[in-house]
Amino acid sequence: MWRAASALSSRCAHRAAQRPFITNAAAVANYNFSNLRTFSSQADYLCVHVFVSVKPGTEEDFKQASLENARASSQEEGISRFDVIQQEDDPTQFVLVEVYKNADAPAAHKGTNHYAQWRKTVEHMMAEPRKAIKYKNLFPATCDGWDYGDDAELK
């Protein structure tokens, strides 16, 4: 019997293969496992948290510019996620959560027109220089856990 393995999102770099589900011991003993291909869906992603403090009164403009940038950024090949979050008890504090699929993706992102436009738009809104901290992804351990997926409607 053959069943399709769980499908990973289509944006995931690696794909799941058709894998056999063998239910009896004799079949296991006689099955040629050498013809199975293995696929890795390991998400060895770079996660960057960018901490931004904006001047009071600029929160809404910063939010709108950042959401526009995030929507465009989330469509980049090397980006798995691009989240914009705002602190509940201090609306002048934001964090951009950027999840990159490979080491080249941050530079590619910084070379886009939408990133340049975002920087130009928000530069005067910042109360202090933004600070970025890089993290190594531990969980979710697969790209399927990070990717928006092709059918995601990003608003």
Side-chain angles (χ1 to χ4, degrees):
M1 279 191 274
W2 291 85
R3 281 196 227 159
S6 297
L8 299 175
S9 76
S10 61
R11 291 182 64 192
C12 186
H14 304 284
R15 303 287 174 237
Q18 296 280 330
R19 295 199 168 100
F21 287 87
I22 301 172
T23 56
N24 89 31
V28 170
N30 294 320
Y31 188 79
N32 178 7
F33 287 95
S34 65
N35 67 355
L36 288 179
R37 295 183 301 162
T38 59
F39 290 81
S40 170
S41 60
Q42 180 67 31
D44 192 19
Y45 289 175
L46 170 65
C47 303
V48 181
H49 290 194
V50 180
F51 297 87
V52 182
S53 179
V54 299
K55 296 173 186 171
T58 65
E59 300 92 341
E60 191 60 34
D61 289 340
F62 178 83
K63 182 168 65 173
Q64 291 310 313
S66 296
L67 291 173
E68 185 176 326
N69 178 58
R71 286 185 197 100
S73 298
S74 68
Q75 300 302 309
E76 294 175 40
E77 184 64 31
I79 292 182
S80 183
R81 298 216 30 125
F82 201 102
D83 302 342
V84 178
I85 57 178
Q86 184 177 25
Q87 190 170 318
E88 284 188 2
D89 62 345
D90 184 352
T92 65
Q93 303 301 307
F94 291 84
V95 180
L96 309 178
V97 181
E98 305 170 6
V99 181
Y100 295 100
K101 295 179 180 181
N102 58 60
D104 297 329
H109 168 64
K110 289 178 181 175
T112 63
N113 290 336
H114 57 267
Y115 175 76
Q117 180 61 45
W118 175 82
R119 280 192 60 168
K120 180 180 176 185
T121 301
V122 303
E123 190 171 36
H124 72 281
M125 299 177 196
M126 295 190 189
E128 60 190 44
R130 64 191 182 278
K131 179 181 178 185
I133 300 176
K134 297 177 182 178
Y135 299 90
K136 178 182 179 182
N137 176 59
L138 300 177
F139 183 88
T142 63
C143 49
D144 195 41
W146 281 109
D147 290 342
Y148 291 110
D150 287 340
D151 57 348
E153 190 173 323
L154 304 176
K155 295 185 178 192

